[in-house]
Amino acid sequence: LGKAFLTSLVKNRTTFNWSRRVEDFIWRYANQNGTGICPSADMECYFLKLSNCPTRLKQNDGWDNEVYKSEGNEMGNKILWLRAYLARTKLWVRRRVFNLLQTIPRPEQPCSVLHVRRTDVALELKQIKKRHYFPLSDYLNETNHFNILLLTDDDSAIQELLDFHATERNWTYIPRKRFTGPEGGWLGFFPSGDVIQEMVVILAEMKLASTCQKLVHTRSGFAKMLVQEMKLSNYDKNIETIRIDAGRQPNNTFYIAPDEFFRRIDEKKKSLKDA
């Protein structure tokens, strides 16, 4: 979802609900067991139409990648209004997100967001792009905020919180089904099997993140969206972002495979029990 609003969802940096690059293609988040969840089977299943103009097959109206990368500079700040316009959800989606948020306490203030991306990132096909799993402590070391919103796609990060850091900070996270490590496979984004609910959770997490002032993350398209959401809600304040893998990846000698990462976590847990 990270590139959904400013670059490619399909091919050639073309946002899928502007023009279709591929005929009969179903957007991943609109695909429930091979069938579109709405007739268009694209972003318009969840988001309002950009305009009354029809989409065209194979027309490349996507934005240049340099614009997408510029969300942190002056150009990026100027186009935040466009980001807000693109993300206007349909009423039924807003209701689903609202109902979910009623079950989750808001992070107390001030707060930091930790976006812990794991699962399939270790399965990057290009070795130079491989990302490994960082321990939760690496994220916590970058913020002094006591109130923490944890956003993660991996159940191992939740378990790590409970095993080692439960009393260190005041935690908020959305309880939901998650994969552990790469068990979901490449681009395995739907552990619940319900693409609509997965989208609702993502949108709810963005709403929660918008209340915080700092983001600690690794390389991720979704992290870019979080920064934009936080800026939109805190336009009069500075949003601090720290990318803990900056300058450390890609680096093949630094890369740690998931099995080795979890072995080290198990050893740490065992040492605490033996202490």
Side-chain angles (χ1 to χ4, degrees):
L1 187 63
K3 296 184 178 180
F5 301 113
L6 294 181
T7 55
S8 172
L9 281 176
V10 187
K11 293 181 179 178
N12 298 332
R13 302 188 177 97
T14 302
T15 307
F16 192 47
N17 71 336
W18 289 357
S19 293
R20 294 172 180 264
R21 294 289 295 176
V22 181
E23 191 172 8
D24 297 327
F25 188 88
I26 302 177
W27 181 38
R28 186 173 294 112
Y29 281 88
N31 187 344
Q32 186 70 57
N33 300 321
T35 302
I37 63 170
C38 74
S40 63
D42 59 15
M43 289 178 65
E44 290 178 6
C45 293
Y46 301 98
F47 301 96
L48 296 175
K49 292 174 69 69
L50 299 182
S51 73
N52 291 327
C53 299
T55 60
R56 297 178 182 177
L57 181 63
K58 298 183 179 179
Q59 174 178 307
N60 188 352
D61 53 7
W63 284 35
D64 184 271
N65 200 37
E66 291 306 312
V67 176
Y68 172 66
K69 290 180 178 180
S70 69
E71 90 294 329
N73 62 22
E74 183 179 358
M75 173 62 77
N77 291 329
K78 287 181 178 179
I79 62 174
L80 282 177
W81 65 268
L82 178 58
R83 160 66 175 75
Y85 178 77
L86 296 175
R88 296 166 303 135
T89 52
K90 291 187 172 180
L91 183 59
W92 71 267
V93 179
R94 293 173 61 188
R95 172 57 63 180
R96 287 279 297 266
V97 172
F98 175 83
N99 288 342
L100 176 58
L101 288 174
Q102 301 316 296
T103 69
I104 308 296
R106 298 293 195 277
E108 296 184 21
Q109 299 297 313
C111 59
S112 289
V113 180
L114 308 188
H115 180 229
V116 181
R117 179 79 165 89
R118 291 180 181 174
T119 60
D120 67 331
V121 300
L123 302 177
E124 290 269 13
L125 299 180
K126 294 182 179 180
Q127 182 69 22
I128 195 172
K129 289 187 175 181
K130 276 188 179 291
R131 293 174 279 176
H132 84 192
Y133 303 164
F134 289 85
L136 201 54
S137 57
D138 282 14
Y139 296 82
L140 289 171
N141 289 340
E142 299 296 340
T143 178
N144 293 323
H145 284 155
F146 180 67
N147 303 305
I148 303 294
L149 171 64
L150 176 61
L151 306 183
T152 182
D153 56 352
D154 200 309
D155 194 61
S156 68
I158 302 296
Q159 193 58 50
E160 194 177 345
L161 179 166
L162 297 175
D163 288 340
F164 306 116
H165 307 289
T167 61
E168 293 179 7
R169 309 290 176 100
N170 182 28
W171 295 93
T172 300
Y173 60 89
I174 296 181
R176 63 183 178 93
K177 184 175 177 58
R178 296 174 171 88
F179 286 128
T180 298
E183 66 179 3
W186 177 243
L187 299 181
F189 297 147
F190 311 108
S192 69
D194 184 341
V195 297
I196 294 177
Q197 182 60 21
E198 297 288 349
M199 173 62 77
V200 168
V201 169
I202 288 173
L203 295 173
E205 289 181 333
M206 291 170 61
K207 289 293 184 183
L208 292 174
S210 71
T211 67
C212 294
Q213 302 78 39
K214 185 172 185 177
L215 172 66
V216 185
H217 64 101
T218 55
R219 176 167 60 90
S220 164
F222 185 56
K224 294 176 184 289
M225 290 185 65
L226 291 173
V227 172
Q228 294 166 352
E229 194 74 16
M230 294 166 74
K231 286 181 177 180
L232 284 167
S233 297
N234 297 272
Y235 62 91
D236 59 337
K237 300 176 183 177
N238 291 324
I239 300 300
E240 185 178 3
T241 63
I242 297 178
R243 190 180 137 184
I244 64 171
D245 60 341
R248 302 167 72 180
Q249 291 182 262
N251 183 341
N252 295 345
T253 60
F254 178 71
Y255 174 74
I256 301 174
D259 289 348
E260 173 63 15
F261 175 83
F262 289 128
R263 186 189 67 79
R264 296 182 185 185
I265 293 294
D266 288 340
E267 285 187 351
K268 180 180 178 180
K269 185 187 302 186
K270 184 177 183 301
S271 66
L272 287 177
K273 288 181 178 180
D274 294 341

